[in-house]
Amino acid sequence: MDTLLHPSPTSSMAKRPCPSSSENPNLPSHFSQMDHLLLSFLSLADSSPPVSLDLSFDRLLDSSPSDADQSLLIDRAHNLGSLLLRAANRSARKRASLHNSIAWALPPDLTIKVFSMLDSQSLCYAAATCWMFNTCAMDPLCYENIDLTTVVPKVNNAVVSTMIQRAGKSFRSLKLGIVPSPTSSPGSCQPLVYTIRNSVDVSSFSWNEKKTRQGKESSILTRSCLYPLSGDNGAAGALLRRLHLYNIERMDNTSLCVALAACPSLIDLEIVGLHVELRQTLMSVSSNCHMIERLFFESSKTGRDDSLKSPTCVDFVNNCPNLSSLSLRGFKLHDYKIRILVKGFRKLKYADFSTSYSITGTFLRNLGSGSGGNLLEVLILRDCMHLKEVEVARFLTAVIAGDFKFLQYIDISNREGLASEGDWYQRSYNSSIIPLKQVLEVRPNICLLAEFPSEGCFIDIDHMFDSDVNSEVSLPSQLSSHTSDGSLLMSSSESSYNSDQGSGNEEYQDSGFVIYEESSDEVDFLVV
């Protein structure tokens, strides 16, 4: 004992000489003096009770001449105990890893394949299990599809950068941000927009918890969280095929456009709750992501973003011909712009314009005949404030007549009813002119959702007017309604709606159509 605690040998250990290789033939011949000494010390656990060890240590302390020597002896005992504990833990982990490598039924390549199917958080848990799992979890294939979505903020820029670096040339998919609830099923327009201000309603999380400001900031993604995509001459971004971004409040137009510019192979883009403009985003996609096949874009300010212009729609259609799924939810879109998109994308099968404003439904006229729009399989116009019952009736009549042969899913539900022909303030809750039953009889393979509130449940609009100096339209109003799950949905409308009634009503030819824009700073465009 004294030899382990003191730098030089003492007479106290002479009574218990270290066993040599000759005395114990079971010991390896290359054992050093320290090895023999440690073996003797560890054998005390079997030969001596704990009380004897305590008494021996007390005698050592009593033999020390001064208080300083006693303190030094105690410190050495603490250090020796810590070193032994660390060595024991390391050896235990090493033995456990060896045991796992023998007992684990799968070879390393199949283990990596299994790990590549885990979400990023589960992968990190597996990596912390043992050395063998950690080695497999560090393989780049495990980071091919990075999913860093969380319910509350707990991922920062450093985590994103580390994951992308580990992926290397295997990098294909990135999901990032805050998703307050599971992704809704097709046809549902449950908003996915989330802000830190409503974080108290998510898993009892609150920014008012007793944490330092530095602690709060360390778990927030900033506008530079996507910079690793464009680093190293865009090596990571060039490999990316899917990019899903959810409720990153500090993301801006410039940062998103820089990231998209580094992703020429992108085929799936999903954007929810980012404070970015629709027009600039579509311009960036149109310029850089020519292979895009799916675009899902949900506005962070429902009904406020009317930045999209018809030239942007035309460029988007011409530069991204492979698009087959388009979702623009919560934007202020006019019928003629929607018609450019739906008619222009010849491979379009899925279209979702839920909670979009200024859509009256006139873009649906003659849409199913000819090329463009006739391949639609899913059409969702849920909770479109200005959607007219007469246009819905005309559309369903065309479906009965044989148009839209591939259509399988239609959603025209509206929590506030459909707008009447003359005045959108007059709402229809149980329209007699919409041939719902006839559609189901003629096309039984179609799933048709037409859910409307009972008459009288519509909120009194006359009490909802409010001025908004930031709006570009005159006399805007705010209309608030609560969804079934309690989330708040804001919709905006304008008093100049009468000018929208004719938008999109022009008849177009199959080979091309002329687009007229109300604003004086735009000219006519011809799509071929």
Side-chain angles (χ1 to χ4, degrees), residues 240-350:
L240 193 63
R241 304 282 283 176
R242 291 176 178 84
L243 178 62
H244 293 188
L245 305 174
Y246 304 97
N247 303 296
I248 305 176
E249 288 201 342
R250 299 188 178 184
M251 182 65 64
D252 55 21
N253 288 300
T254 302
S255 300
L256 179 61
C257 292
V258 170
L260 294 178
C263 304
S265 302
L266 202 64
I267 63 173
D268 184 357
L269 176 62
E270 187 164 329
I271 301 174
V272 175
L274 271 61
H275 301 312
V276 295
E277 285 189 352
L278 175 60
R279 181 183 183 183
Q280 292 194 30
T281 302
L282 292 189
M283 289 175 62
S284 182
V285 172
S286 174
S287 301
N288 304 290
C289 309
H290 303 304
M291 301 173 61
I292 191 77
E293 296 178 4
R294 176 182 178 268
L295 174 63
F296 183 102
F297 198 170
E298 183 171 337
S299 175
S300 62
K301 298 180 179 180
T302 307
R304 299 279 187 97
D305 188 344
D306 61 347
S307 61
L308 185 61
K309 304 299 181 182
S310 56
T312 305
C313 297
V314 174
D315 292 339
F316 186 33
V317 167
N318 292 335
N319 295 331
C320 303
N322 297 322
L323 194 76
S324 60
S325 177
L326 177 63
S327 299
L328 301 177
R329 297 170 48 160
F331 295 97
K332 187 176 179 183
L333 303 172
H334 295 276
D335 285 79
Y336 65 89
K337 299 174 185 177
I338 296 296
R339 190 171 181 89
I340 294 176
L341 298 174
V342 177
K343 197 75 173 176
F345 289 117
R346 304 302 174 92
K347 298 181 180 181
L348 191 64
K349 296 181 179 181
Y350 185 104

Side-chain angles (χ1 to χ4, degrees), residues 1 38 93 110 139 151 175 190 210 245 247 258 332 340 343 352 432 455 483 491:
M1 169 67 75
L38 183 59
R93 290 193 299 268
L110 291 182
D139 192 278
V151 177
K175 295 182 180 180
Q190 180 182 359
K210 295 181 179 180
L245 305 174
N247 303 296
V258 170
K332 187 176 179 183
I340 294 176
K343 197 75 173 176
D352 181 3
S432 59
E455 188 171 358
T483 61
S491 61

Side-chain angles (χ1 to χ4, degrees), residues 390-419:
V390 63
E391 298 298 340
V392 173
R394 290 172 179 170
F395 166 67
L396 294 181
T397 301
V399 172
I400 296 174
D403 291 347
F404 303 98
K405 297 182 183 298
F406 300 97
L407 201 58
Q408 300 178 7
Y409 187 97
I410 307 173
D411 190 351
I412 55 171
S413 302
N414 200 308
R415 64 168 57 92
E416 292 156 352
L418 297 175

Side-chain angles (χ1 to χ4, degrees), residues 155-220:
V155 173
N156 57 23
N157 297 359
V159 174
V160 179
S161 178
T162 300
M163 291 289 186
I164 294 178
Q165 289 178 3
R166 289 180 180 178
K169 295 182 179 181
S170 300
F171 188 42
R172 293 296 182 272
S173 173
L174 175 62
K175 295 182 180 180
L176 191 61
I178 304 172
V179 181
S181 60
T183 304
S184 305
S185 59
S188 171
C189 68
Q190 180 182 359
L192 296 176
V193 176
Y194 167 91
T195 61
I196 293 179
R197 292 184 294 273
N198 67 6
S199 61
V200 293
D201 297 328
V202 182
S203 302
S204 302
F205 176 82
S206 174
W207 279 124
N208 295 323
E209 295 176 356
K210 295 181 179 180
K211 297 180 179 179
T212 62
R213 180 175 180 84
Q214 182 179 1
K216 298 176 184 178
E217 297 293 328
S218 63
S219 297
I220 294 180

